[in-house]
Coordinates of all heavy atoms in Angstrom, one line a residue:
T24 N -15.0 7.7 -16.3 CA -14.5 8.8 -15.5 C -13.0 8.9 -15.6 O -12.3 7.9 -15.4 CB -14.9 8.7 -14.1 OG1 -16.4 8.6 -14.0 CG2 -14.5 10.0 -13.3
E25 N -12.5 10.1 -15.9 CA -11.1 10.3 -16.1 C -10.5 10.9 -14.8 O -11.1 11.9 -14.3 CB -10.9 11.2 -17.3 CG -9.4 11.4 -17.6 CD -9.2 12.3 -18.8 OE1 -10.1 12.3 -19.7 OE2 -8.2 13.0 -18.9
L26 N -9.5 10.4 -14.3 CA -8.8 10.9 -13.1 C -7.9 12.1 -13.5 O -7.3 12.0 -14.6 CB -8.0 9.8 -12.4 CG -8.8 8.7 -11.8 CD1 -7.8 7.7 -11.2 CD2 -9.7 9.2 -10.7
I27 N -7.9 13.1 -12.7 CA -7.0 14.2 -13.0 C -5.8 14.1 -12.0 O -6.0 13.9 -10.8 CB -7.8 15.5 -12.7 CG1 -9.0 15.6 -13.6 CG2 -6.9 16.7 -12.9 CD1 -9.9 16.8 -13.3
D28 N -4.6 14.3 -12.6 CA -3.4 14.3 -11.8 C -3.2 15.7 -11.3 O -2.9 16.6 -12.0 CB -2.2 13.8 -12.7 CG -1.0 13.7 -11.9 OD1 -1.0 13.5 -10.6 OD2 0.1 13.8 -12.5
I29 N -3.3 15.9 -10.0 CA -3.1 17.2 -9.3 C -1.8 17.3 -8.7 O -1.5 16.5 -7.8 CB -4.3 17.5 -8.3 CG1 -5.6 17.5 -9.0 CG2 -4.0 18.8 -7.6 CD1 -6.8 17.6 -8.1
K30 N -0.9 18.2 -9.2 CA 0.4 18.3 -8.7 C 0.5 19.4 -7.7 O -0.2 20.4 -7.8 CB 1.4 18.6 -9.9 CG 1.4 17.4 -10.9 CD 2.4 17.8 -12.0 CE 2.6 16.7 -13.0 NZ 1.5 16.0 -13.5
P31 N 1.4 19.2 -6.7 CA 1.6 20.3 -5.7 C 2.2 21.5 -6.4 O 2.9 21.4 -7.4 CB 2.7 19.7 -4.7 CG 2.8 18.3 -5.1 CD 2.3 18.1 -6.4
I32 N 1.8 22.7 -5.9 CA 2.4 24.0 -6.4 C 2.8 24.8 -5.2 O 2.4 24.6 -4.1 CB 1.3 24.8 -7.2 CG1 0.1 25.2 -6.4 CG2 0.9 24.0 -8.5 CD1 -0.8 26.2 -7.1
S33 N 3.7 25.7 -5.5 CA 4.2 26.5 -4.4 C 3.2 27.5 -3.9 O 2.2 27.8 -4.6 CB 5.5 27.3 -4.9 OG 5.0 28.4 -5.7
I34 N 3.3 27.9 -2.7 CA 2.3 28.8 -2.1 C 2.3 30.1 -2.8 O 1.3 30.7 -3.1 CB 2.6 29.0 -0.6 CG1 2.4 27.7 0.2 CG2 1.8 30.1 0.0 CD1 2.9 27.6 1.6
Q35 N 3.5 30.6 -3.3 CA 3.6 31.8 -4.0 C 2.9 31.7 -5.4 O 2.2 32.6 -5.8 CB 5.0 32.3 -4.2 CG 5.2 33.6 -4.9 CD 4.5 34.7 -4.1 OE1 4.6 34.9 -2.9 NE2 3.6 35.5 -4.8
T36 N 3.1 30.6 -6.0 CA 2.4 30.4 -7.3 C 0.9 30.4 -7.2 O 0.2 31.0 -8.0 CB 2.8 29.0 -8.0 OG1 4.2 29.1 -8.2 CG2 2.1 28.8 -9.3
L37 N 0.4 29.8 -6.1 CA -1.0 29.8 -5.8 C -1.5 31.2 -5.6 O -2.6 31.6 -6.1 CB -1.4 28.9 -4.7 CG -2.9 28.8 -4.4 CD1 -3.7 28.2 -5.5 CD2 -3.1 28.0 -3.1
A38 N -0.8 32.0 -4.8 CA -1.1 33.4 -4.5 C -1.2 34.2 -5.8 O -2.1 35.0 -6.1 CB -0.1 34.0 -3.6
D39 N -0.2 33.9 -6.7 CA -0.2 34.6 -8.0 C -1.4 34.3 -8.9 O -2.0 35.1 -9.5 CB 1.1 34.3 -8.8 CG 2.3 34.9 -8.1 OD1 2.2 35.8 -7.3 OD2 3.4 34.4 -8.5
I40 N -1.8 33.0 -8.8 CA -3.0 32.5 -9.6 C -4.2 33.2 -9.0 O -5.1 33.7 -9.8 CB -3.1 31.0 -9.5 CG1 -2.0 30.3 -10.3 CG2 -4.5 30.5 -10.0 CD1 -1.9 28.8 -10.1
F41 N -4.4 33.2 -7.7 CA -5.5 33.9 -7.0 C -5.6 35.4 -7.5 O -6.6 35.9 -7.8 CB -5.4 33.8 -5.5 CG -6.1 32.6 -4.9 CD1 -5.6 31.4 -5.1 CD2 -7.3 32.8 -4.2 CE1 -6.2 30.2 -4.5 CE2 -7.9 31.7 -3.6 CZ -7.4 30.4 -3.8
R42 N -4.4 36.1 -7.4 CA -4.4 37.5 -7.7 C -4.8 37.7 -9.2 O -5.5 38.6 -9.5 CB -3.0 38.1 -7.4 CG -2.9 38.6 -6.0 CD -1.6 39.4 -5.9 NE -0.9 39.1 -4.7 CZ -0.1 38.1 -4.5 NH1 0.1 37.2 -5.4 NH2 0.5 37.9 -3.3
S43 N -4.2 36.9 -10.1 CA -4.5 37.0 -11.5 C -6.0 36.8 -11.8 O -6.6 37.6 -12.5 CB -3.6 36.0 -12.3 OG -4.0 36.0 -13.6
K44 N -6.5 35.8 -11.2 CA -7.9 35.4 -11.4 C -8.8 36.6 -10.8 O -9.8 37.0 -11.4 CB -8.3 34.1 -10.8 CG -9.7 33.7 -11.0 CD -9.7 32.3 -11.7 CE -11.1 31.9 -11.8 NZ -11.5 31.4 -13.0
A45 N -8.5 37.1 -9.7 CA -9.3 38.1 -9.0 C -9.3 39.4 -9.8 O -10.3 40.1 -9.7 CB -8.7 38.4 -7.6
S46 N -8.2 39.7 -10.5 CA -8.2 40.9 -11.3 C -9.2 41.0 -12.3 O -9.6 42.1 -12.7 CB -6.8 41.1 -11.9 OG -6.6 40.2 -12.9
G47 N -9.8 39.9 -12.8 CA -10.8 40.0 -13.8 C -12.2 39.7 -13.3 O -13.1 39.6 -14.1
L48 N -12.4 39.8 -12.0 CA -13.7 39.5 -11.4 C -14.3 40.8 -10.8 O -13.7 41.8 -10.7 CB -13.5 38.5 -10.2 CG -13.0 37.1 -10.6 CD1 -12.7 36.3 -9.3 CD2 -13.9 36.4 -11.5
S49 N -15.6 40.6 -10.5 CA -16.3 41.8 -9.8 C -15.6 42.0 -8.5 O -14.9 41.2 -8.0 CB -17.8 41.4 -9.6 OG -17.8 40.4 -8.6
S50 N -15.9 43.2 -7.9 CA -15.2 43.5 -6.7 C -15.6 42.6 -5.6 O -14.8 42.2 -4.7 CB -15.5 45.0 -6.3 OG -16.9 45.1 -6.1
A51 N -16.8 42.1 -5.5 CA -17.3 41.1 -4.5 C -16.5 39.8 -4.7 O -16.1 39.2 -3.7 CB -18.8 40.9 -4.6
S52 N -16.4 39.3 -5.9 CA -15.7 38.1 -6.1 C -14.2 38.2 -5.8 O -13.6 37.3 -5.2 CB -15.9 37.6 -7.5 OG -17.3 37.2 -7.8
A53 N -13.7 39.3 -6.2 CA -12.2 39.6 -5.9 C -12.0 39.6 -4.4 O -11.0 39.1 -3.9 CB -11.8 40.9 -6.6
K54 N -12.9 40.2 -3.7 CA -12.8 40.2 -2.2 C -12.8 38.8 -1.7 O -12.0 38.5 -0.8 CB -13.9 41.1 -1.6 CG -13.9 41.1 -0.1 CD -15.1 41.9 0.4 CE -15.1 41.9 1.9 NZ -16.3 42.5 2.5
N55 N -13.7 38.0 -2.2 CA -13.8 36.6 -1.8 C -12.5 35.8 -2.0 O -12.0 35.1 -1.2 CB -14.9 35.8 -2.4 CG -16.3 36.1 -1.8 OD1 -16.4 36.7 -0.7 ND2 -17.3 35.8 -2.5
Y56 N -11.9 36.1 -3.2 CA -10.6 35.5 -3.5 C -9.5 35.9 -2.5 O -8.7 35.1 -2.0 CB -10.1 35.8 -4.9 CG -10.5 34.8 -5.9 CD1 -11.8 34.6 -6.2 CD2 -9.6 34.0 -6.6 CE1 -12.2 33.6 -7.2 CE2 -9.9 33.0 -7.5 CZ -11.2 32.8 -7.8 OH -11.6 31.9 -8.7
R57 N -9.5 37.2 -2.2 CA -8.5 37.7 -1.2 C -8.7 37.1 0.2 O -7.8 36.7 0.9 CB -8.5 39.2 -1.1 CG -7.9 39.9 -2.3 CD -7.7 41.4 -2.1 NE -9.0 42.1 -1.8 CZ -9.8 42.6 -2.8 NH1 -9.5 42.4 -4.1 NH2 -10.9 43.2 -2.5
I58 N -10.0 37.0 0.6 CA -10.3 36.3 1.9 C -9.9 34.9 1.9 O -9.3 34.4 2.8 CB -11.9 36.4 2.2 CG1 -12.2 37.9 2.4 CG2 -12.3 35.5 3.3 CD1 -13.7 38.1 2.5
A59 N -10.2 34.2 0.8 CA -9.8 32.8 0.7 C -8.3 32.6 0.7 O -7.7 31.7 1.5 CB -10.3 32.2 -0.6
L60 N -7.5 33.5 0.0 CA -6.1 33.4 0.0 C -5.5 33.7 1.4 O -4.6 32.9 1.9 CB -5.5 34.3 -1.0 CG -4.0 34.4 -1.1 CD1 -3.4 33.0 -1.4 CD2 -3.5 35.4 -2.1
D61 N -6.0 34.7 2.1 CA -5.6 35.0 3.4 C -5.9 33.9 4.4 O -5.0 33.5 5.2 CB -6.2 36.3 3.9 CG -5.7 37.5 3.3 OD1 -4.7 37.5 2.6 OD2 -6.4 38.6 3.4
S62 N -7.0 33.3 4.3 CA -7.4 32.2 5.1 C -6.5 31.0 4.9 O -6.0 30.3 5.8 CB -8.9 31.8 4.9 OG -9.2 30.6 5.5
L63 N -6.3 30.7 3.6 CA -5.4 29.5 3.3 C -4.0 29.8 3.8 O -3.3 28.9 4.3 CB -5.4 29.2 1.8 CG -4.6 28.1 1.3 CD1 -4.9 26.8 2.0 CD2 -4.7 27.9 -0.2
R64 N -3.5 31.0 3.6 CA -2.1 31.3 4.0 C -2.0 31.1 5.5 O -1.0 30.5 6.0 CB -1.7 32.7 3.6 CG -1.3 32.8 2.2 CD -0.8 34.2 1.9 NE 0.1 34.2 0.8 CZ 0.4 35.3 0.2 NH1 -0.1 36.5 0.5 NH2 1.3 35.2 -0.8
N65 N -3.0 31.6 6.3 CA -2.9 31.5 7.7 C -3.0 30.1 8.1 O -2.3 29.6 9.1 CB -4.1 32.3 8.3 CG -3.9 33.8 8.2 OD1 -2.8 34.3 8.1 ND2 -5.0 34.6 8.2
Y66 N -3.9 29.3 7.5 CA -4.1 27.9 7.8 C -2.7 27.2 7.6 O -2.3 26.4 8.4 CB -5.2 27.3 7.0 CG -5.3 25.8 7.2 CD1 -6.0 25.3 8.3 CD2 -4.8 24.9 6.3 CE1 -6.1 24.0 8.6 CE2 -4.9 23.5 6.6 CZ -5.6 23.1 7.7 OH -5.7 21.7 7.9
M67 N -2.1 27.4 6.4 CA -0.9 26.7 6.1 C 0.2 27.1 7.1 O 1.0 26.2 7.5 CB -0.4 27.1 4.7 CG -1.3 26.4 3.6 SD -1.3 24.6 3.6 CE 0.5 24.3 3.0
A68 N 0.3 28.4 7.5 CA 1.3 28.8 8.4 C 1.2 28.1 9.8 O 2.2 27.8 10.4 CB 1.2 30.3 8.6
V69 N 0.0 27.8 10.2 CA -0.2 27.2 11.5 C -0.1 25.7 11.4 O 0.6 25.0 12.2 CB -1.6 27.6 12.1 CG1 -2.0 26.8 13.3 CG2 -1.7 29.1 12.4
Q70 N -0.8 25.1 10.4 CA -0.9 23.6 10.3 C 0.3 23.0 9.6 O 0.7 21.9 9.9 CB -2.2 23.2 9.6 CG -3.4 23.6 10.3 CD -3.6 22.9 11.7 OE1 -3.2 21.8 11.9 NE2 -4.1 23.7 12.6
Y71 N 0.9 23.7 8.7 CA 2.0 23.1 7.9 C 3.1 24.2 7.7 O 3.4 24.6 6.6 CB 1.5 22.7 6.5 CG 0.4 21.7 6.5 CD1 -0.9 22.0 6.4 CD2 0.7 20.3 6.7 CE1 -1.9 21.1 6.4 CE2 -0.3 19.4 6.7 CZ -1.6 19.7 6.6 OH -2.6 18.8 6.6
P72 N 3.7 24.6 8.8 CA 4.6 25.8 8.8 C 5.9 25.5 7.9 O 6.5 26.5 7.4 CB 5.0 26.0 10.2 CG 4.7 24.7 10.9 CD 3.6 24.1 10.2
L73 N 6.2 24.3 7.7 CA 7.4 24.0 6.9 C 7.1 23.7 5.5 O 8.1 23.5 4.7 CB 8.2 22.8 7.5 CG 8.6 23.1 9.0 CD1 9.4 21.8 9.5 CD2 9.5 24.3 9.1
A74 N 5.9 23.6 5.1 CA 5.5 23.3 3.7 C 5.9 24.4 2.8 O 5.7 25.6 3.0 CB 4.0 23.1 3.6
K75 N 6.5 24.0 1.7 CA 6.9 24.9 0.6 C 5.9 24.8 -0.5 O 5.8 25.7 -1.3 CB 8.3 24.5 0.0 CG 9.4 24.5 1.1 CD 10.0 25.9 1.2 CE 11.2 25.9 2.0 NZ 11.1 26.5 3.3
E76 N 5.1 23.7 -0.6 CA 4.1 23.6 -1.6 C 2.8 23.2 -1.0 O 2.7 22.7 0.1 CB 4.5 22.4 -2.6 CG 5.8 22.7 -3.3 CD 6.2 21.5 -4.2 OE1 6.0 20.4 -3.9 OE2 6.7 21.8 -5.3
I77 N 1.8 23.5 -1.7 CA 0.4 23.2 -1.3 C 0.0 22.0 -2.1 O 0.1 22.0 -3.4 CB -0.6 24.3 -1.6 CG1 -0.2 25.5 -0.7 CG2 -2.0 23.9 -1.3 CD1 -1.0 26.7 -0.8
E78 N -0.5 21.0 -1.4 CA -1.0 19.7 -2.1 C -2.5 19.6 -1.9 O -3.1 20.3 -1.1 CB -0.3 18.5 -1.5 CG 1.2 18.6 -1.6 CD 1.9 17.4 -0.9 OE1 1.2 16.4 -0.5 OE2 3.1 17.5 -0.8
L79 N -3.1 18.8 -2.7 CA -4.5 18.6 -2.6 C -5.0 18.3 -1.2 O -6.0 18.8 -0.7 CB -5.0 17.4 -3.5 CG -6.5 17.1 -3.5 CD1 -7.3 18.3 -3.9 CD2 -6.7 15.9 -4.4
G80 N -4.3 17.5 -0.5 CA -4.6 17.2 0.9 C -4.7 18.4 1.8 O -5.5 18.5 2.7
H81 N -3.8 19.4 1.6 CA -3.8 20.6 2.3 C -5.1 21.4 2.1 O -5.7 21.9 3.0 CB -2.6 21.5 2.0 CG -1.3 20.9 2.3 ND1 -0.2 21.1 1.5 CD2 -0.9 20.2 3.3 CE1 0.8 20.5 2.0 NE2 0.5 19.9 3.1
I82 N -5.5 21.4 0.8 CA -6.7 22.1 0.5 C -7.9 21.4 1.1 O -8.8 22.1 1.7 CB -6.9 22.2 -1.1 CG1 -5.7 22.9 -1.7 CG2 -8.2 22.9 -1.4 CD1 -5.6 24.4 -1.4
Q83 N -7.9 20.1 1.1 CA -9.0 19.3 1.7 C -9.1 19.6 3.2 O -10.2 19.8 3.7 CB -8.9 17.9 1.4 CG -9.1 17.5 -0.1 CD -8.6 16.1 -0.5 OE1 -7.7 15.5 0.2 NE2 -9.2 15.6 -1.5
D84 N -7.9 19.6 3.8 CA -7.9 19.8 5.3 C -8.4 21.2 5.6 O -9.1 21.4 6.6 CB -6.5 19.6 5.8 CG -6.0 18.2 5.8 OD1 -6.8 17.3 5.5 OD2 -4.8 18.0 6.0
W85 N -8.0 22.2 4.8 CA -8.4 23.6 5.0 C -9.9 23.7 4.9 O -10.5 24.4 5.7 CB -7.6 24.5 4.0 CG -8.1 25.9 3.9 CD1 -8.1 26.8 4.9 CD2 -8.5 26.6 2.7 NE1 -8.5 28.0 4.4 CE2 -8.8 27.9 3.1 CE3 -8.7 26.2 1.4 CZ2 -9.3 28.8 2.2 CZ3 -9.2 27.1 0.5 CH2 -9.5 28.4 0.9
C86 N -10.4 23.1 3.9 CA -11.9 23.2 3.7 C -12.6 22.5 4.9 O -13.6 23.1 5.4 CB -12.3 22.5 2.4 SG -11.8 23.4 0.9
A87 N -12.1 21.4 5.3 CA -12.7 20.7 6.4 C -12.6 21.5 7.7 O -13.6 21.6 8.5 CB -12.1 19.3 6.6
S88 N -11.5 22.2 7.9 CA -11.3 23.0 9.1 C -12.3 24.2 9.1 O -12.8 24.6 10.1 CB -9.9 23.5 9.2 OG -9.6 24.6 8.4
M89 N -12.6 24.7 7.9 CA -13.6 25.8 7.8 C -15.0 25.3 8.1 O -15.7 26.0 8.8 CB -13.5 26.5 6.5 CG -12.2 27.3 6.3 SD -12.3 28.5 4.9 CE -12.3 27.3 3.5
L90 N -15.3 24.1 7.6 CA -16.6 23.6 7.9 C -16.8 23.3 9.4 O -17.8 23.5 10.0 CB -16.9 22.3 7.1 CG -17.0 22.6 5.6 CD1 -17.0 21.2 4.8 CD2 -18.2 23.4 5.2
I91 N -15.7 22.8 10.1 CA -15.7 22.5 11.5 C -15.9 23.8 12.3 O -16.6 23.8 13.3 CB -14.4 21.8 11.9 CG1 -14.4 20.4 11.4 CG2 -14.3 21.8 13.4 CD1 -13.1 19.6 11.5
R92 N -15.4 24.9 11.7 CA -15.5 26.2 12.4 C -16.9 26.9 12.1 O -17.1 28.1 12.3 CB -14.4 27.2 12.0 CG -13.1 26.8 12.6 CD -12.0 27.8 12.4 NE -12.2 28.6 11.1 CZ -11.3 28.6 10.1 NH1 -10.2 28.0 10.2 NH2 -11.6 29.3 9.1
S93 N -17.8 26.1 11.6 CA -19.2 26.5 11.3 C -19.3 27.5 10.1 O -20.3 28.2 10.0 CB -19.8 27.2 12.5 OG -19.9 26.3 13.6
I94 N -18.4 27.5 9.2 CA -18.5 28.2 7.9 C -19.5 27.4 7.1 O -19.3 26.1 7.0 CB -17.2 28.5 7.3 CG1 -16.4 29.5 8.1 CG2 -17.4 28.9 5.8 CD1 -15.0 29.8 7.6
T95 N -20.5 28.0 6.5 CA -21.4 27.2 5.7 C -20.8 26.7 4.4 O -19.8 27.3 3.9 CB -22.7 28.0 5.4 OG1 -22.3 29.1 4.5 CG2 -23.3 28.6 6.6
V96 N -21.4 25.6 3.9 CA -20.9 25.1 2.6 C -21.1 26.1 1.6 O -20.1 26.3 0.7 CB -21.7 23.8 2.3 CG1 -21.4 23.4 0.9 CG2 -21.5 22.7 3.3
K97 N -22.1 26.9 1.6 CA -22.3 27.9 0.5 C -21.2 29.0 0.6 O -20.7 29.4 -0.4 CB -23.7 28.6 0.7 CG -24.0 29.6 -0.3 CD -25.4 30.2 -0.2 CE -25.7 31.2 -1.3 NZ -27.1 31.6 -1.2
T98 N -20.8 29.4 1.8 CA -19.7 30.4 2.0 C -18.4 29.8 1.5 O -17.6 30.4 0.8 CB -19.6 30.8 3.4 OG1 -20.9 31.5 3.8 CG2 -18.5 31.8 3.6
L99 N -18.2 28.5 1.9 CA -16.9 27.8 1.5 C -16.8 27.8 0.0 O -15.8 28.1 -0.6 CB -16.9 26.4 2.1 CG -15.7 25.5 1.7 CD1 -14.4 26.2 2.0 CD2 -15.9 24.2 2.3
L100 N -17.9 27.4 -0.6 CA -17.9 27.3 -2.1 C -17.7 28.6 -2.7 O -17.0 28.7 -3.7 CB -19.2 26.6 -2.6 CG -19.4 25.2 -2.2 CD1 -20.8 24.7 -2.6 CD2 -18.4 24.3 -2.8
S101 N -18.3 29.7 -2.2 CA -18.0 31.0 -2.8 C -16.6 31.4 -2.6 O -16.0 32.1 -3.4 CB -19.0 32.0 -2.2 OG -18.7 32.4 -0.8
L102 N -16.0 31.1 -1.4 CA -14.6 31.5 -1.2 C -13.6 30.8 -2.2 O -12.7 31.4 -2.6 CB -14.2 31.1 0.2 CG -14.7 32.0 1.3 CD1 -14.3 31.5 2.7 CD2 -14.3 33.4 1.2
I103 N -14.0 29.5 -2.5 CA -13.1 28.8 -3.4 C -13.6 28.8 -4.8 O -13.1 28.2 -5.7 CB -12.7 27.4 -2.9 CG1 -14.0 26.6 -2.7 CG2 -11.9 27.4 -1.7 CD1 -13.7 25.1 -2.3
H104 N -14.7 29.6 -5.0 CA -15.2 29.9 -6.4 C -15.7 28.6 -7.1 O -15.3 28.4 -8.2 CB -14.2 30.7 -7.2 CG -14.8 31.4 -8.3 ND1 -15.6 32.5 -8.1 CD2 -14.8 31.3 -9.7 CE1 -16.0 33.0 -9.3 NE2 -15.5 32.2 -10.2
I105 N -16.5 27.8 -6.4 CA -17.0 26.6 -7.0 C -18.5 26.8 -6.9 O -19.1 27.1 -5.8 CB -16.6 25.3 -6.2 CG1 -15.1 25.2 -6.4 CG2 -17.3 24.1 -6.7 CD1 -14.5 24.0 -5.6
S106 N -19.2 26.5 -7.9 CA -20.7 26.5 -7.9 C -21.3 25.4 -7.1 O -20.8 24.3 -7.1 CB -21.2 26.4 -9.4 OG -20.7 27.5 -10.1
E107 N -22.3 25.7 -6.4 CA -23.0 24.7 -5.6 C -23.7 23.8 -6.5 O -24.3 24.2 -7.5 CB -24.0 25.4 -4.7 CG -24.5 24.5 -3.6 CD -25.3 25.3 -2.5 OE1 -25.4 26.5 -2.6 OE2 -25.7 24.7 -1.5
P108 N -23.7 22.5 -6.2 CA -24.3 21.5 -7.1 C -25.8 21.8 -7.2 O -26.4 22.1 -6.1 CB -24.0 20.2 -6.5 CG -23.0 20.4 -5.4 CD -23.0 21.8 -5.1
T109 N -26.4 21.6 -8.3 CA -27.9 21.7 -8.4 C -28.5 20.4 -8.0 O -27.9 19.4 -8.1 CB -28.3 22.1 -9.8 OG1 -27.8 21.1 -10.7 CG2 -27.8 23.4 -10.2
R110 N -29.7 20.5 -7.4 CA -30.4 19.3 -6.9 C -31.5 19.0 -7.7 O -32.1 19.7 -8.3 CB -30.8 19.6 -5.4 CG -29.6 19.8 -4.6 CD -30.0 20.3 -3.2 NE -28.8 20.8 -2.6 CZ -28.6 20.9 -1.3 NH1 -29.5 20.6 -0.5 NH2 -27.5 21.3 -0.8

């Protein structure tokens, strides 16, 4: 197994990536990207108001907070555009 080095990126860069990716998706998927970006921005503003960059730990915390708020795993995966594992 190869480890991937995940580097922090600026919040604006992440927003640009989300917008770029959403532009090539169906309207439903693009809507999910916008919802995810808004949710992440709001989470970062409250939990990490001084952060200039988003790190892997921030994403993990955000996902955990959504699960704690009773968002289903399926919804979470659709918001971050990850396929649910097959069983």
Side-chain angles (χ1 to χ4, degrees):
T24 304
E25 186 177 328
L26 294 177
I27 299 171
D28 184 23
I29 300 175
K30 295 179 174 49
I32 62 170
S33 75
I34 294 169
Q35 186 57 50
T36 299
L37 183 63
D39 292 344
I40 291 168
F41 268 72
R42 272 192 223 78
S43 174
K44 182 122 175 135
S46 68
L48 299 174
S49 69
S50 61
S52 292
K54 179 182 175 187
N55 283 345
Y56 265 68
R57 286 191 298 276
I58 290 169
L60 180 58
D61 289 345
S62 173
L63 180 58
R64 280 185 157 164
N65 291 336
Y66 177 80
M67 290 296 293
V69 171
Q70 297 297 323
Y71 302 99
L73 301 178
K75 300 274 191 250
E76 297 180 324
I77 296 178
E78 299 177 11
L79 178 59
H81 297 143
I82 301 293
Q83 292 168 333
D84 291 349
W85 170 61
C86 290
S88 77
M89 287 193 292
L90 293 173
I91 290 168
R92 291 190 326 240
S93 300
I94 291 178
T95 66
V96 171
K97 184 175 182 176
T98 299
L99 173 60
L100 294 174
S101 73
L102 287 175
I103 58 176
H104 202 67
I105 297 175
S106 299
E107 195 168 2
T109 55
R110 296 171 194 203

